[in-house]
Amino acid sequence: MLKTNSHDSLLTLAIPVALEEDVLDFLLLHPAWASGFSVIAAQGMGQGALLQSPMELVQGRSGRKLVLVAGVGEHLLLLLKALADEIPSPEVAYWLSPLTASGRLA
């Protein structure tokens, strides 16, 4: 039997690799807002991508991490506000999407 939960939103944070530990530590300190999350290696391209290392300059893309947090929309907005207060960085992008279903397979 499938087990569902009350998560209605998915927060995605696109962060520079240099901020990974700070952001993950912050999330771990706030389990009421982020009871769990996933981290995926990614690369950023385009006008918002700040290229810092010589390799990034050559490739034209920056090393990023995507942090995915499923939760209740209102809680995720509080989490975003607190994160912006703690780590105010223009290099952190986010988007909040509706989550139509989530749960566990068993």
Side-chain angles (χ1 to χ4, degrees), residues 3 5 8 12 14-15 22 26 39 48 51 57 63 67 69 74 79 83 85-86 88 93-95 97 103:
K3 296 180 182 178
N5 56 43
D8 63 7
T12 303
I15 63 173
D22 291 338
F26 175 86
V39 181
L51 308 176
L57 290 168
V67 182
V69 185
E74 298 86 37
L79 175 71
L83 181 61
D85 289 344
E86 182 76 19
Y94 73 89
W95 50 96
S97 307

Side-chain angles (χ1 to χ4, degrees), residues 6 8-9 33 71-80 96:
S6 62
D8 63 7
S9 300
W33 293 332
V72 176
E74 298 86 37
H75 297 169
L76 294 174
L77 290 172
L78 293 171
L79 175 71
L80 275 173
L96 190 60

Side-chain angles (χ1 to χ4, degrees), residues 4-45:
T4 61
N5 56 43
S6 62
H7 296 161
D8 63 7
S9 300
L10 179 66
L11 172 63
T12 303
L13 299 168
I15 63 173
V17 173
L19 289 179
E20 179 180 7
E21 294 307 318
D22 291 338
V23 171
L24 298 184
D25 287 346
F26 175 86
L27 294 175
L28 289 171
L29 289 173
H30 296 88
W33 293 332
S35 60
F37 50 90
S38 298
V39 181
I40 303 168
Q43 294 180 327
M45 299 178 74

Side-chain angles (χ1 to χ4, degrees), residues 41-63:
Q43 294 180 327
M45 299 178 74
Q47 292 179 346
L50 297 176
L51 308 176
Q52 297 180 7
S53 74
M55 182 59 78
E56 289 177 349
L57 290 168
V58 169
Q59 293 177 331
R61 54 188 185 255
S62 64

